Amino acid sequence: MKFTCVRLIVLVGLIAISFAMAVSAQDSSKQDPRFKPVPMNPGPLGAAGYIALLPIDDRPAVGQFAQMIGAVADHKVTMPPREMLGRFTLPGDTARIEQWLRSQDYSKTDALIVSVDMLAYGGLVASRTHKVSFDEARKRLEFFRWFKSKYPRVPVYAFNVIMGVAPTATAATRGIHDNLARWAELKDRAPKSGDRKLAAELEQLTKNLPSAVIDDYLAARKRNLQLNLAMLDLVKAGTVNELILLQDDARQYGLHRQDQAVLRAKLKEFGLESKVPIYNGTDEGSSSLVSRAVLDKFLYKLKVAVIYSSEKSREVIAPYEDQPLQFTVESKIRAAGGIPVSEFDQSDYRLFVNAPGTDDEEFDLFLKKLLKELKDNRHIALADVLFPAPHHSGADERIIQALKRENLFDRFAGYAAWNTAGNTLGTTIPHANLRVFFRSKLNDRADRAARTEAAHLEFLLNRFAGDYLYHDIVRQEINTRLRAEARTDEVAYEFTPDRYAQINREVSERLKTRIEQFFAEYFKGRTHRLAIYKGVEKTITVNRLNGLNVYLPWARTVECAIEFKLDYQSN
């Protein structure tokens, strides 16, 4: 990106001097001259920037999180209306979505971020079935060419999923879901291993599974791989500026590994191996690219020092993934616009990773270091990917209890502990990136600083509410009761409408009470220092939790939507 002298002067006038020095140190000659970011709005109410986002579906983790993370750096993230995005097994309305994308005013937009799977198929769940042909899907990619020809200034970021091993767990797939996933695993593993028992198991699964189920699965996989390859063509042509390929729920073996090999060969042929990453994850693609877009806009790379709970934990392969944890951590950092460094190197912030493969002595040392650095007011983020029993998706209770004793919940630059290692890292890192970047480089006005401080605290509270209060406590209580009552695996799939309404009410009642108590104990009444402006130290004090709304976005307990705003006063 080549800035003219006038544009550079404008930027220096709008942002902190330290940031101006950082920008001047960058090598702008390597940037695309068509990228001309919109300067920060100097007005008292205007956002620092604007991003348009097409998420992969309508769940909070793929849309709401990205919007809340953008707000941490005072960037407004705009998405299509939720009703366009479909819901669970109902695909998004691709025709209306494209119409919405084409009708937006991009004159103030800093970046466009697109889920290829929503644009082409109608979302993640829809991408796992063969209801859209490759020709239809490829035709929808023409939007990228239209957009780049009309708005050459606006960089295009895209994320595309490599199909996972299993279909979505729904009422329709109950009874075949696990067998089909195992079949896809053995189709890759049995011939590679030469194991006769595995070959026999594969043969039996092939006989037991309906041929129509296998045919649809293979047709969807073939189409998705073709679309992945078509996206590489668009990157090579410069139509899409940045692309990440996200490996959906995976195992160490499976047909997805063969797809990855095809894609890596094409990346090598195109000379794009270092430009287009392939790594584990899906839901967090939006958040990673919001962080990346903001940092790219200002030509900045954050250095992230990583502290693992043990050396062994670096090599652990987490559930639903197929790569060692260290590979995933470093891939997430780079995708979100950072540079991974060791804990002994100079860094912008430090990322603590609590992971399996850690003994009690190692964990104690890890926790002591984490608490000490939080007390020292350093920029610290925590990705808690241990996922201990019985919930297997939530916070490590040992860390939570220590944070309660020391009252340190609001000290983090970023925190997450949900679902998978990839999901957790892809939430923690973008949040910490924009928190640290804003505080150190964009903190130019007291009014802007106040609203971004509130946005940061809102997302921190949202994550402790979701990843600890919901996953550790409320979800576990409800799932345990449901399993006991039904004596089936209903809780793992899709609820009936009546059952969904009943459970939704119960979740809302239980979780609201816990969130209000948690807020009162650890966030309410706390005063947070912003900076010194014109010789006066500015602060905000958190007063109330407004508009708390809790519900299950889909007919299952896998995720929970939590919405609220913090009421605060500034001096």
Side-chain angles (χ1 to χ4, degrees):
M1 187 184 306
K2 294 183 178 178
F3 288 96
T4 64
C5 292
V6 173
R7 185 174 295 278
L8 185 56
I9 291 171
V10 171
L11 283 174
V12 172
L14 293 170
I15 60 181
I17 294 174
S18 59
F19 172 64
M21 294 173 64
V23 170
S24 66
Q26 305 294 320
D27 180 7
S28 63
S29 64
K30 296 180 180 179
Q31 303 298 321
D32 191 325
R34 293 171 297 172
F35 293 4
K36 297 178 181 178
V38 179
M40 290 169 62
N41 187 331
L45 298 178
Y50 301 87
I51 294 171
L53 166 67
L54 176 62
I56 201 166
D57 54 47
D58 72 324
R59 289 171 297 152
V62 305
Q64 179 200 28
F65 286 16
Q67 290 181 313
M68 295 182 78
I69 287 170
V72 171
D74 203 34
H75 279 64
K76 183 177 181 180
V77 178
T78 303
M79 302 190 304
R82 187 177 177 188
E83 61 268 19
M84 289 187 189
L85 301 174
R87 189 180 187 192
F88 202 4
T89 55
L90 177 68
D93 189 332
T94 54
R96 289 181 65 200
I97 286 168
E98 184 168 346
Q99 184 180 30
W100 182 89
L101 286 169
R102 290 176 181 261
S103 66
Q104 297 306 295
D105 177 7
Y106 294 98
S107 61
K108 293 184 178 181
T109 301
D110 296 300
L112 172 66
I113 301 172
V114 176
S115 161
V116 176
D117 297 270
M118 176 56 81
L119 180 68
Y121 312 123
L124 177 62
V125 173
S127 76
R128 296 167 174 168
T129 62
H130 192 245
K131 294 181 180 178
V132 175
S133 70
F134 172 64
D135 288 341
E136 290 177 274
R138 180 173 57 183
K139 185 178 180 181
R140 291 167 186 167
L141 299 189
E142 288 302 312
F143 164 77
F144 289 114
R145 292 189 174 88
W146 171 86
F147 183 88
K148 185 53 69 173
S149 66
K150 191 171 179 65
Y151 302 101
R153 175 194 65 80
V154 182
V156 177
Y157 297 79
F159 59 106
N160 194 190
V161 170
I162 301 171
M163 188 169 167
V165 292
T168 306
T170 67
T173 62
R174 187 177 300 165
I176 64 167
H177 177 274
D178 292 345
N179 286 338
L180 185 56
R182 178 63 171 169
W183 177 87
E185 177 186 2
L186 293 179
K187 283 289 286 183
D188 179 58
R189 185 177 180 181
K192 287 179 177 177
S193 67
D195 188 307
R196 292 182 180 180
K197 288 184 179 180
L198 294 180
E201 183 184 356
L202 174 60
E203 183 179 357
Q204 189 61 48
L205 284 169
T206 304
K207 291 178 181 178
N208 293 344
L209 284 165
S211 58
V213 169
I214 292 177
D215 290 346
D216 183 79
Y217 177 87
L218 291 176
R221 179 170 291 286
K222 179 181 178 180
R223 176 207 59 197
N224 289 12
L225 177 58
Q226 288 177 303
L227 203 76
N228 295 150
L229 293 167
M231 286 302 299
L232 297 186
D233 289 331
L234 293 177
V235 175
K236 183 183 179 184
T239 305
V240 171
N241 303 105
E242 301 293 341
L243 172 68
I244 54 177
L245 293 174
L246 296 167
Q247 177 58 63
D248 195 10
D249 291 350
R251 301 179 182 182
Q252 287 182 257
Y253 294 92
L255 293 176
H256 61 286
R257 302 287 291 196
Q258 299 175 21
D259 293 347
Q260 290 177 17
V262 172
L263 290 165
R264 287 194 171 95
K266 182 59 70 172
L267 287 170
K268 184 175 182 180
E269 177 188 334
F270 285 174
L272 297 174
E273 293 168 287
S274 61
K275 183 175 177 63
V276 179
I278 298 174
Y279 60 85
N280 293 113
T282 295
D283 297 344
E284 70 285 354
S286 296
S287 296
S288 293
L289 290 180
V290 165
S291 169
R292 173 75 175 275
V294 173
L295 294 177
D296 283 355
K297 169 184 174 179
F298 293 106
L299 295 173
Y300 199 82
K301 293 284 187 184
L302 283 165
K303 290 183 179 179
V304 183
V306 185
I307 296 93
Y308 294 89
S309 52
S310 70
E311 282 301 307
K312 186 178 178 181
S313 68
R314 296 171 182 263
E315 300 306 316
V316 167
I317 297 178
Y320 306 105
E321 301 190 355
D322 62 359
Q323 296 290 344
L325 181 61
Q326 183 172 354
F327 175 86
T328 302
V329 169
E330 294 180 359
S331 297
K332 297 289 181 185
I333 291 171
R334 293 189 183 97
I339 301 171
V341 300
S342 83
E343 65 174 296
F344 307 107
D345 293 330
Q346 185 176 357
S347 63
D348 291 282
Y349 70 91
R350 291 160 71 80
L351 171 66
F352 283 71
V353 181
N354 182 39
T358 304
D359 64 30
D360 290 343
E361 183 178 354
E362 290 169 327
F363 175 79
D364 288 343
L365 291 172
F366 173 81
L367 181 58
K368 287 178 183 177
K369 182 183 290 188
L370 171 67
L371 297 176
K372 180 182 183 303
E373 297 196 12
L374 284 171
K375 291 176 183 178
D376 290 342
N377 287 312
R378 302 187 67 171
H379 288 312
I380 301 298
L382 172 61
D384 189 354
V385 301
L386 182 65
F387 305 134
H391 50 78
H392 299 293
S393 174
D396 185 337
E397 187 72 28
R398 297 171 299 175
I399 294 177
I400 294 295
Q401 292 307 316
L403 295 174
K404 285 182 176 180
R405 287 194 304 270
E406 305 291 344
N407 208 340
L408 295 171
F409 289 101
D410 61 351
R411 296 284 186 91
F412 285 99
Y415 170 85
W418 67 281
N419 203 35
T420 70
N423 293 156
T424 294
L425 289 159
T427 304
T428 307
I429 293 166
H431 180 193
N433 279 359
L434 295 196
R435 165 63 172 175
V436 173
F437 181 64
F438 181 86
R439 290 282 290 185
S440 59
K441 307 299 180 185
L442 299 184
N443 203 354
D444 65 322
R445 301 176 57 99
D447 56 347
R448 198 190 306 281
R451 64 176 176 249
T452 58
E453 186 73 14
H456 164 66
L457 294 170
E458 283 170 356
F459 195 57
L460 261 187
L461 177 57
N462 182 288
R463 289 302 77 231
F464 284 114
D467 299 351
Y468 166 51
L469 298 177
Y470 179 64
H471 283 292
D472 278 30
I473 303 173
V474 173
R475 182 188 179 197
Q476 182 63 25
E477 291 172 350
I478 289 176
N479 281 358
T480 299
R481 179 176 60 77
L482 290 175
R483 289 190 177 99
E485 289 176 357
R487 299 181 185 277
T488 70
D489 59 355
E490 174 195 28
V491 69
Y493 291 91
E494 183 179 6
F495 299 127
T496 63
D498 288 345
R499 192 70 154 160
Y500 170 50
Q502 171 202 339
I503 296 167
N504 198 25
R505 285 194 300 271
E506 187 175 352
V507 166
S508 178
E509 291 170 3
R510 291 193 185 196
L511 189 54
K512 274 186 177 181
T513 300
R514 289 189 177 275
I515 292 173
E516 288 164 350
Q517 292 173 344
F518 189 87
F519 167 76
E521 287 187 58
Y522 303 110
F523 284 81
K524 185 177 181 180
R526 304 289 288 266
T527 296
H528 300 267
R529 181 178 182 273
L530 304 178
I532 296 175
Y533 299 91
K534 298 180 180 180
V536 178
E537 180 178 85
K538 293 291 185 178
T539 64
I540 68 165
T541 300
V542 178
N543 296 327
R544 289 179 298 276
L545 193 63
N546 288 342
L548 178 59
N549 187 30
V550 171
Y551 60 94
L552 298 177
W554 289 1
R556 62 185 193 177
T557 61
V558 174
E559 60 273 303
C560 183
I562 303 167
E563 301 169 346
F564 61 84
K565 297 295 290 184
L566 292 180
D567 176 81
Y568 64 91
Q569 65 185 45
S570 53
N571 66 342

